[in-house]
Amino acid sequence: MKVMRLLSSLKHDESERGIFHIGRALVKNGHTSIIISSADEDNDLVRRLKRDGNIYHQLHMNKKSWLALLKVTALRHLIEKYDPDVIHVHSRTPAWILHLALRRARVKRRPKLVSTMYGFYPINKYSQALLDVDTIITVSDSVTNYLKKGLRLEDADPKTIKRIYRGVDTRRYPYRHNPSVYWLRHTFAEYPELEHKKWLVFPTIIGNEYGQEWLIDILGNLQEQFPNIHAIIMDEDYRENDVAHQDFRQRTNTLGLADRITYVGSKRNDMREWLSAANIVMALANEPESIGINALQAIHLGTPVIGWDQAAFSEILQPLYPQGLVKKYNANALCKAVRNQLESVTRPEMTNKFTMREMIEETLAVYQGLHDMAIAEEQAAIDAIALKRIRKSLKKAAKSAPQSNDELTDKGGSIDQLERAPISKSSKVKLLKDTSKTMNTLKTETAMETLRDDSTL
């Protein structure tokens, strides 16, 4: 089976898309994995893909870029070259390029199309190319419900929309992982204010939709009861022309909470260490979250997570750590949940749900199912053509065959009917005459043979 996957970029969090893990699994199972993206050939991520056995091609299909339309012909040539069985698109711009490329592509069999919806994309014309596929993979039940409601497909076939949760690599995020002493010393040397503090890790950048303003309520209400409480934000300490960032900094400075907040930057490769060292990981997005990968990673590490009871956070915390859910959307309920956790620490239990292995198996099952469907459809088409030819040849044979019993019937009845038909008196007389003539002839011939025998003797 040949699987081609189209991406705008490889820079997204690999834990969300599982690009490398799925590619490695395809190659390991004897399939061909082809990846097309905008990353350069000498990129570290591309080298990693090639090392795992993937075939990589660079095509600039950047998001919402009209220049991406120039790559239609190039993509068509790649499709014709590899003749993939399944093509998986991961964003909307590559989906449009794919549909345009397939219009005139010369392939033995049209490939089956798969797309993944990673968020609550607006159901409009721009998203239409992502929806015109054989199977849509959604990353959570909340996204599935949103899609079905937007498309008015509440009773859609589960083969058309398949929910596959993003998984965590449990080897990279093992349960109760502890940061190394070297990492802790380096961190305290860089951020001395973090030593001997209770860490509330906010694992996203600052933005209107991410809910960083709730940290102000937590710090303001709990600083007297917990004087060592401290918030850590995975964002830069300054952003030019960023209104949300400037507003948050101004409010914390005005309320005297700036000393209780540390900004460690967004471009880090040690997220695992921060999540495992945290006392609590905060999941406070104001808008429904579709994946919640950071909260999921923290759960697998055994770190408590507190978040709103909505969308992906609810789907993750309800089965894995229900005491971390805040059902009421207000500051009092949130502060109460944080206080309870700091007073009596309860960690999530080890789980085998929401794993990378599970995600890979379900994704490969989608690929295999579509591949089997394509083969079955092709065989059905071949059988239909063969049946049509057989019927055509039978019609020709029927036309060229000698006069049949049916034709005799049309002319005067069947053979049995002719044998049973009554004989008229005139025909009886003729038969008797013919019989007498025949007997006389036989007698004359017998007498002649007798005379010949006598003369011979």
Side-chain angles (χ1 to χ4, degrees):
M1 179 173 61
K2 297 179 182 179
V3 179
M4 178 180 287
R5 288 177 289 164
L6 310 181
L7 305 100
S8 294
S9 173
L10 291 176
K11 296 178 182 179
H12 296 278
D13 188 351
E14 63 187 68
S15 300
E16 293 185 7
R17 299 190 171 185
I19 298 300
F20 302 96
H21 299 83
I22 293 176
R24 189 183 304 118
L26 283 169
V27 174
K28 186 178 180 180
N29 286 276
H31 305 302
T32 302
S33 174
I34 307 150
I35 297 178
I36 300 174
S37 179
S38 60
D40 296 330
E41 295 283 348
D42 58 350
N43 188 288
D44 291 338
L45 299 178
V46 174
R47 281 203 288 265
R48 178 179 170 185
L49 287 171
K50 291 182 177 179
R51 187 171 62 248
D52 292 339
N54 298 276
I55 300 172
Y56 181 80
H57 288 276
Q58 181 184 19
L59 278 184
H60 292 282
M61 296 181 290
N62 299 324
K63 292 183 178 181
K64 298 181 181 180
S65 173
W66 289 103
L67 295 176
L69 295 174
L70 300 175
K71 305 302 178 182
V72 172
T73 303
L75 180 58
R76 183 184 297 125
H77 290 163
L78 289 174
I79 293 173
E80 292 174 348
K81 177 181 178 181
Y82 292 105
D83 194 18
D85 300 297
V86 178
I87 299 180
H88 189 169
V89 288
H90 292 266
S91 55
R92 288 168 285 183
T93 299
W96 276 109
I97 306 305
L98 172 62
H99 282 289
L100 294 173
L102 285 175
R103 286 183 178 179
R104 298 181 181 178
R106 299 177 181 177
V107 291
K108 297 179 181 177
R109 182 176 62 224
R110 181 180 174 84
K112 292 293 182 180
L113 304 184
V114 185
S115 67
T116 299
M117 283 192 67
Y118 292 96
F120 300 95
Y121 302 153
I123 309 300
N124 52 24
K125 291 184 178 180
Y126 181 52
S127 301
Q128 191 61 42
L130 205 63
L131 306 176
D132 291 339
V133 294
D134 297 287
T135 298
I136 303 173
I137 296 176
T138 58
V139 294
S140 61
D141 286 333
S142 54
V143 175
T144 301
N145 296 333
Y146 166 80
L147 181 61
K148 288 183 177 181
K149 185 178 180 180
L151 297 176
R152 298 180 180 177
L153 294 174
E154 283 76 6
D155 299 326
D157 188 343
K159 294 181 180 178
T160 304
I161 301 176
K162 174 70 174 177
R163 188 264 296 141
I164 301 178
Y165 285 115
R166 301 298 89 185
V168 174
D169 185 359
T170 53
R171 292 173 298 180
R172 178 170 171 76
Y173 294 87
Y175 185 70
R176 297 305 299 270
H177 168 77
N178 291 316
S180 65
V181 175
Y182 170 80
W183 184 86
L184 289 172
R185 287 179 177 177
H186 180 77
T187 300
F188 291 146
E190 187 175 2
Y191 308 103
E193 70 273 15
L194 296 181
E195 197 167 2
H196 306 300
K197 299 293 177 63
K198 297 286 187 181
W199 293 5
L200 305 182
V201 173
F202 188 75
T204 59
I205 62 173
I206 291 175
N208 292 325
E209 68 272 25
Y210 297 119
Q212 68 280 343
E213 65 274 7
W214 295 104
L215 293 174
I216 297 175
D217 295 296
I218 296 172
L219 296 174
N221 291 322
L222 300 181
Q223 61 180 339
E224 293 184 3
Q225 187 175 356
F226 302 98
N228 58 348
I229 193 171
H230 198 94
I232 300 172
I233 299 178
M234 296 294 174
D235 199 356
E236 315 302 327
D237 57 356
Y238 175 75
R239 283 194 175 196
E240 189 176 0
N241 299 326
D242 190 322
V243 177
H245 198 292
Q246 293 174 0
D247 178 68
F248 180 74
R249 291 297 299 268
Q250 185 176 359
R251 290 178 63 187
T252 55
N253 289 329
T254 302
L255 295 173
L257 300 174
D259 293 339
R260 295 185 176 274
I261 300 174
T262 297
Y263 301 85
V264 297
S266 58
K267 298 179 180 179
R268 306 192 65 96
N269 56 5
D270 59 349
M271 176 63 80
R272 179 186 65 177
E273 316 306 322
W274 288 104
L275 294 177
S276 61
N279 294 93
I280 303 176
V281 172
M282 310 305 300
L284 306 176
N286 292 321
E287 297 182 3
E289 180 69 22
S290 60
I291 298 176
I293 192 66
N294 292 325
L296 189 56
Q297 290 168 345
I299 292 288
H300 275 275
L301 289 169
T303 303
V305 176
I306 291 179
W308 302 119
D309 187 9
Q310 64 177 358
F313 293 147
S314 179
E315 295 179 46
I316 293 170
L317 294 176
Q318 189 63 48
L320 303 183
Y321 190 66
Q323 54 267 48
L325 285 174
V326 182
K327 298 185 180 297
K328 294 182 179 180
Y329 191 74
N330 58 54
N332 289 332
L334 180 60
C335 292
K336 182 180 179 180
V338 174
R339 183 189 303 110
N340 292 338
Q341 179 58 41
L342 292 176
E343 288 177 346
S344 57
V345 180
T346 56
R347 293 185 175 274
E349 297 180 358
M350 182 182 288
T351 179
N352 58 357
K353 297 180 180 179
F354 301 93
T355 62
M356 183 66 70
R357 181 190 296 273
E358 190 177 27
M359 185 192 79
I360 291 172
E361 290 176 353
E362 292 181 4
T363 304
L364 294 187
V366 170
Y367 294 160
Q368 191 63 53
L370 290 173
H371 179 53
D372 295 342
M373 184 190 301
I375 293 176
E377 290 174 354
E378 186 178 25
Q379 187 60 46
I382 293 173
D383 294 343
I385 294 173
L387 183 61
K388 189 176 181 180
R389 288 177 179 174
I390 291 172
R391 288 177 177 173
K392 198 172 182 180
S393 61
L394 287 176
K395 286 182 180 179
K396 289 182 179 179
K399 289 181 180 179
S400 59
Q403 195 174 29
S404 63
N405 188 28
D406 293 337
E407 291 174 342
L408 289 173
T409 303
D410 294 338
K411 291 181 180 180
S414 66
I415 296 172
D416 294 337
Q417 289 174 340
L418 290 174
E419 290 177 350
R420 296 198 204 103
I423 302 174
S424 62
K425 292 182 179 179
S426 59
S427 60
K428 285 182 179 180
V429 173
K430 289 181 181 179
L431 285 172
L432 290 173
K433 290 180 179 180
D434 293 339
T435 304
S436 60
K437 290 181 180 179
T438 304
M439 293 298 294
N440 292 332
T441 304
L442 289 172
K443 289 178 180 179
T444 305
E445 291 178 352
T446 303
M448 293 293 292
E449 290 178 359
T450 304
L451 290 173
R452 287 173 187 162
D453 294 338
D454 294 338
S455 63
T456 303
L457 294 170

